[in-house]
Amino acid sequence: MANPVVDTRLSKRFDKWDFDRNGLLEREDFEQEAARIARSFGKPSDAPEVAALRDAFHALFDYLAAATEGSASSLSREEFEKAAGDLIYNQGEAAFNRALGPVVSGLVGLCDKNDDGQINGEEFQSWLTALGLDTTSAKDAFQQVDTNGDGELSQEELLAAIRQYHFGQLDVELLG
Ligand SMILES: [Ca+2]
Ligand SMILES: [Ca+2]
Ligand SMILES: [Ca+2]
């Protein structure tokens, strides 16, 4: 399954999530990432949407840690790439959606200003900004993720785009 684009993307994801740059992914790193995203949306740390995103990142960490044979409290780069790679390439879409769904739903919760459960063009701009992503091609990125073309990004479309990104089938970054 190995392919250079795909490996680079997982490795980049590791660097991004290793918040304290100690070469290991820990629960604390995932918590910091959730807090950083919440801050960039200007949400207080005790807001329910922030708690939901933090819980989702915790659950994702626990999932990945449980999938490795070594220590359950941290993941080396190799362990992360193996566990995340297995989830993405071997376990199928349903397992991927179970693991990443809460994170996507937490992000939608923070971003969804008009509270309709979907992300429109304006909300998508704030998503990209909060995740530290390039907004210059936001319009093009939006259209690629909006596969049914209804002008809204559903959670299903966002999840599918994240999975395709890691398969190297789509060049839209959604998680930073
Ligand atoms: Ca770390
Ligand atoms: Ca919305
Ligand atoms: Ca859509």
Side-chain angles (χ1 to χ4, degrees):
M1 271 302 172
N3 111 23
V5 173
V6 162
D7 291 349
T8 306
R9 287 180 177 181
L10 275 183
S11 190
K12 220 177 118 188
R13 166 86 60 239
F14 182 94
D15 292 331
K16 165 101 189 182
W17 281 352
D18 180 16
F19 202 87
D20 62 0
R21 301 266 177 268
N22 68 345
L24 293 170
L25 286 187
E26 292 120 332
R27 223 162 181 259
E28 179 69 14
D29 290 320
F30 279 48
E31 185 155 333
Q32 293 290 346
E33 173 67 2
R36 187 192 64 77
I37 294 168
R39 271 196 306 278
S40 51
F41 278 110
K43 297 275 179 180
S45 60
D46 58 353
E49 305 94 299
V50 175
L53 185 68
R54 191 170 49 231
D55 290 350
F57 267 102
H58 276 159
L60 179 60
F61 177 81
D62 292 342
Y63 172 89
L64 292 169
T68 62
E69 285 154 21
S71 156
S73 61
S74 65
L75 293 157
S76 67
R77 183 182 300 270
E78 197 184 358
E79 286 173 331
F80 170 75
E81 289 179 10
K82 191 160 176 273
D86 185 56
L87 173 63
I88 295 167
Y89 312 118
N90 302 330
Q91 298 208 14
E93 193 164 1
F96 181 83
N97 290 354
R98 267 199 305 280
L100 267 302
V103 170
V104 168
S105 146
L107 289 168
V108 169
L110 281 167
C111 214
D112 183 18
K113 264 195 221 151
N114 67 0
D115 221 10
D116 65 353
Q118 306 206 88
I119 299 303
N120 63 28
E122 187 196 326
E123 293 163 346
F124 188 59
Q125 285 278 353
S126 72
W127 173 305
L128 294 177
T129 306
L131 277 283
L133 296 163
D134 176 25
T135 54
T136 53
S137 52
K139 208 169 175 183
D140 183 50
F142 188 94
Q143 280 169 356
Q144 288 190 62
V145 178
D146 182 18
T147 45
N148 72 355
D150 69 350
E152 299 277 351
L153 306 182
S154 66
Q155 296 196 24
E156 292 71 27
E157 287 171 333
L158 288 160
L159 267 172
I162 292 167
R163 190 160 178 265
Q164 282 168 6
Y165 171 78
H166 278 293
F167 266 104
Q169 293 166 344
L170 188 76
D171 285 326
V172 178
E173 261 196 295
L174 291 173
L175 290 183

